[in-house]
Amino acid sequence: MRLFVGIPIPVDIAENLYPVARAIRGLEAQTPENMHLTLKFIGTVHDRVTAASIDDALLQTRFTPFDLQIAGLGMFGTDRKARILWAAVQAQPLLNQLAHRVETALFRCDDISGQLDRRKFTPHITLGRNRSASRAVIGQAVADHADLVSRSFQVDRFCLYQSISTGDGPVYQVVAEYDGVGIGQPAARETPAFCDDEAFADIDFTAGPKR
C-alpha cells in the first residue's frame, strides 16, 4: 500500500476551495473529501511489520494543537507549464515544527528511511492537477484569488493516509490518527493502530496504488 502523512482540512473549507479549481477548464480538481495538507509522503509499504513501525513512530510524535488559516493560491511547475494549483496557508511556526518532527520520526524507521525524499517542506493543499490548461490561465487564477482567506481552524490531529487507486482517480483513506497533546498530558492513543494482523485484513500489500 502507498502511504503519506497529512493534516485533514475541515469540510466547509474544502467545499469552499473546490469551485476555485473546478472552474478552470483542463484542470483535474481535487474533490473536497480528498483535500489535505501533506506533512510527509512515505511511498509504498510492502508488509505489516513496516506499517506497524511507521504507526509506532508517529504515535510517539508529540505536538501542541495550533491554529491554521488558508491564505491565497500558488502553483508548482515550470516557466512554460503549471502542474499543480494549490492553496497556501499563513505562516505558522508550529506547523513547520510538526512537519519536522514527523519527518524525523519517519527517518528513524530503517525500512523506509532510504525511500523518503529530503525536499524542503512547502505547506500547501493541492486543489487540482493540470491536464491541458495554459500556464497563463492558472496564473490568472492565482492572481484573482490573491486575497482568498479562510476561517481559522485548529489543527489538533494529523493522520496516516493510504492512497487507493480507483477508476475515478486516487482516494485518500485515513488509516490512523494522532492527536495533539498539551504539555504534560499523555498521548490520546497509547497503542499502535496496527498492533495485530486483523488491522491489515483488508489491505493488499502486493498492490501499490498510485499517489
Side-chain angles (χ1 to χ4, degrees), residues 138-185:
I138 295 179
Q140 188 61 53
V142 172
D144 290 343
H145 294 86
D147 59 351
L148 183 152
V149 177
S150 76
R151 67 172 177 84
S152 179
F153 63 95
Q154 186 181 59
V155 176
D156 56 7
R157 64 190 170 102
F158 65 92
C159 302
L160 179 63
Y161 289 86
Q162 178 185 7
S163 177
I164 302 172
S165 182
T166 74
D168 296 321
V171 172
Y172 304 135
Q173 179 179 348
V174 173
V175 294
E177 297 183 356
Y178 310 89
D179 293 338
V181 295
I183 298 174
Q185 294 180 330

Side-chain angles (χ1 to χ4, degrees), residues 55-56 58-60 62 175-179 181 186-195:
D55 179 59
D56 185 59
L58 295 176
L59 183 61
Q60 306 307 315
R62 301 288 192 267
V175 294
E177 297 183 356
Y178 310 89
D179 293 338
V181 295
R189 182 164 59 85
E190 297 294 346
T191 58
F194 304 140
C195 58

Side-chain angles (χ1 to χ4, degrees), residues 5 15-16 27 32 41 48 51 63 68-69 84 92 102 112 118 137 143 149 159-161 180-181 196:
V5 183
E15 290 178 344
N16 287 336
L27 194 74
F41 179 69
R48 293 166 173 78
F63 77 101
L68 204 58
Q69 192 170 22
I84 294 175
Q92 171 51 275
V102 166
I112 63 166
R118 297 179 180 272
V137 168
V149 177
C159 302
L160 179 63
Y161 289 86
V181 295
D196 56 51

Side-chain angles (χ1 to χ4, degrees), residues 12-32:
D12 62 309
I13 293 178
E15 290 178 344
N16 287 336
L17 290 172
Y18 179 64
V20 175
R22 191 73 178 84
I24 301 175
R25 186 174 182 179
L27 194 74
E28 183 180 324
Q30 185 91 290
T31 58

Side-chain angles (χ1 to χ4, degrees), residues 29-195:
Q30 185 91 290
T31 58
E33 56 270 23
N34 266 358
M35 288 186 190
H36 62 277
L37 191 158
T38 301
L39 292 172
K40 193 68 180 178
F41 179 69
I42 297 172
T44 301
V45 172
H46 298 283
D47 60 79
R48 293 166 173 78
V49 174
T50 301
S53 69
I54 291 171
D55 179 59
D56 185 59
L58 295 176
L59 183 61
Q60 306 307 315
T61 303
R62 301 288 192 267
F63 77 101
T64 301
F66 55 86
D67 290 334
L68 204 58
Q69 192 170 22
I70 310 300
L73 303 183
M75 61 181 176
F76 292 136
T78 66
D79 291 339
R80 300 183 63 181
K81 182 177 180 179
R83 294 186 299 105
I84 294 175
L85 174 69
W86 47 270
V89 296
Q90 289 186 344
Q92 171 51 275
L94 291 177
L95 170 62
N96 294 328
Q97 183 184 80
L98 173 58
H100 175 72
R101 289 180 179 178
V102 166
E103 180 180 67
T104 299
L106 293 174
F107 270 114
R108 292 195 186 107
C109 299
D110 293 337
D111 291 340
I112 63 166
S113 59
Q115 72 187 48
L116 299 175
D117 68 62
R118 297 179 180 272
R119 285 178 292 182
K120 181 180 178 181
F121 175 61
T122 302
H124 67 280
I125 300 161
T126 296
L127 300 185
R129 292 175 172 79
N130 190 19
R131 298 307 180 209
S132 59
S134 70
R135 190 183 191 284
V137 168
I138 295 179
Q140 188 61 53
V142 172
D144 290 343
H145 294 86
D147 59 351
L148 183 152
V149 177
S150 76
R151 67 172 177 84
S152 179
F153 63 95
Q154 186 181 59
V155 176
D156 56 7
R157 64 190 170 102
F158 65 92
C159 302
L160 179 63
Y161 289 86
Q162 178 185 7
S163 177
I164 302 172
S165 182
T166 74
D168 296 321
V171 172
Y172 304 135
Q173 179 179 348
V174 173
V175 294
E177 297 183 356
Y178 310 89
D179 293 338
V181 295
I183 298 174
Q185 294 180 330
R189 182 164 59 85
E190 297 294 346
T191 58
F194 304 140
C195 58

